[in-house]
Amino acid sequence: MKPYIHSEIKNAIGFITFFHPAGNSFPSKQLEKLVTTINDLDKHSEVQILVLQSEGNTFCAGASFDELLQITDATSGEKFFSGFANVINAMRKCSKLIIGKAQGKAVGGGVGLLAACDYVIATPEAAIKLSELTIGIGPFVIEPTVSRKIGQTAMSELALTANEWKDAKWAFEKGLYSQLAPKETLEEVALTLATQLASYNPEAICALKSVFWEGTSHWETLLPERAKISGELVLSNFTKNALKAFKK
């Protein structure tokens, strides 16, 4: 199957579904499409709540390794990692609350996407990992949004144990996940919450969203600055060799 990002509106709920055959990883075009989709649904008067979800058994494998291997200069590297910065900023600035549905594992940028959601419902299978250090870079772009959710101590633990999966219970206890649900009831639980939230005063929801994200306006410049760091590090011999080894 080809990668895609679909959006659908049902009963005042905007559903965003993404897919990529490589573990729901994100190449640049997918990241750009996700930003556009979020912005379009945010402007849609019929939509009150957004639900972010993916197809398959994995929620999101983060950045596309194929595209990372093709980066040959700092400018293109910065541009690639700015894709995740743009998505997080779009989610942060979106006036609608965003519910995340994590049916399976999340790695790197995928963890960042979940952290940028306002409420996450996950299954026990939704383990997480920040593996960036193993390939010679770091979770610079997503660090602010993950630290905002789980605190700097837990973020440090997650980033420094780069080869270790943290289970869904750990993510729930640290605050990344708001609720755990069995995979067979995930759809129902998320729909019930989204429907309830969509019935509330949209002006109150919008104001509450602004309160939730107070103190993050500087991310407009901070996240691109972090993207520049990753864009330079991805050019290192360590990272190039690590990515090639991973592909093999």
Side-chain angles (χ1 to χ4, degrees):
M1 293 179 64
K2 293 183 178 180
Y4 63 78
I5 293 178
H6 289 163
S7 65
E8 184 180 17
I9 301 172
K10 290 183 179 180
N11 301 320
I13 304 168
F15 295 90
I16 302 173
T17 307
F18 63 89
F19 170 78
H20 194 286
N24 288 328
S25 58
F26 272 96
S28 293
K29 289 184 178 180
Q30 286 278 92
L31 292 169
E32 292 172 4
K33 176 64 174 177
L34 183 55
V35 170
T36 300
T37 303
I38 292 169
N39 290 338
D40 287 347
L41 288 175
D42 186 27
K43 298 173 185 174
H44 204 297
S45 59
E46 184 184 340
V47 177
Q48 304 299 334
I49 299 295
L50 298 184
V51 175
L52 181 65
Q53 57 191 6
S54 65
E55 296 284 358
N57 295 320
T58 300
F59 175 74
C60 178
S64 167
F65 273 27
D66 287 333
E67 191 163 343
L68 284 175
L69 279 167
Q70 295 172 13
I71 296 173
T72 57
D73 59 85
T75 300
S76 59
E78 180 181 353
K79 182 178 179 181
F80 174 76
F81 287 101
S82 289
F84 278 101
N86 294 336
V87 170
I88 292 172
N89 273 324
M91 295 174 72
R92 174 182 66 84
K93 294 185 293 184
C94 179
S95 64
K96 326 287 187 181
L97 291 177
I98 302 176
I99 298 172
K101 280 175 57 184
Q103 81 282 17
K105 293 180 176 179
V107 183
V111 179
L113 292 183
L114 291 172
C117 293
D118 300 294
Y119 193 102
V120 176
I121 305 170
T123 69
E125 292 79 17
I128 61 173
K129 180 167 66 172
L130 294 184
S131 58
E132 285 86 345
L133 279 179
T134 65
I135 59 170
I137 56 177
F140 299 106
V141 172
I142 66 170
E143 180 278 323
T145 193
V146 178
S147 290
R148 171 182 168 272
K149 272 293 180 70
I150 69 176
Q152 288 188 337
T153 300
M155 172 63 197
S156 297
E157 178 183 348
L158 190 59
L160 296 180
T161 54
N163 279 312
E164 180 182 327
W165 286 99
K166 302 293 186 183
D167 62 23
K169 182 180 178 183
W170 185 94
F172 171 71
E173 291 174 344
K174 300 301 182 184
L176 179 67
Y177 296 157
S178 310
Q179 186 176 350
L180 296 179
K183 183 171 287 189
E184 57 269 20
T185 65
L186 178 63
E187 186 78 22
E188 178 185 356
V189 171
L191 183 59
T192 298
L193 175 63
T195 301
Q196 184 179 44
L197 290 172
S199 70
Y200 297 154
N201 182 354
E203 293 180 4
I205 291 292
C206 181
L208 191 59
K209 172 89 181 227
S210 295
V211 169
F212 287 164
W213 289 90
E214 278 182 353
T216 62
S217 60
H218 66 291
W219 288 14
E220 203 70 35
T221 55
L222 174 64
L223 300 192
E225 289 172 356
R226 296 291 184 84
K228 185 175 181 179
I229 298 174
S230 295
E232 292 172 348
L233 286 171
V234 78
L235 298 174
S236 68
N237 290 330
F238 185 103
T239 297
K240 291 294 185 184
N241 292 333
L243 288 171
K244 290 176 182 177
F246 182 87
K247 288 292 291 182
K248 291 179 181 178

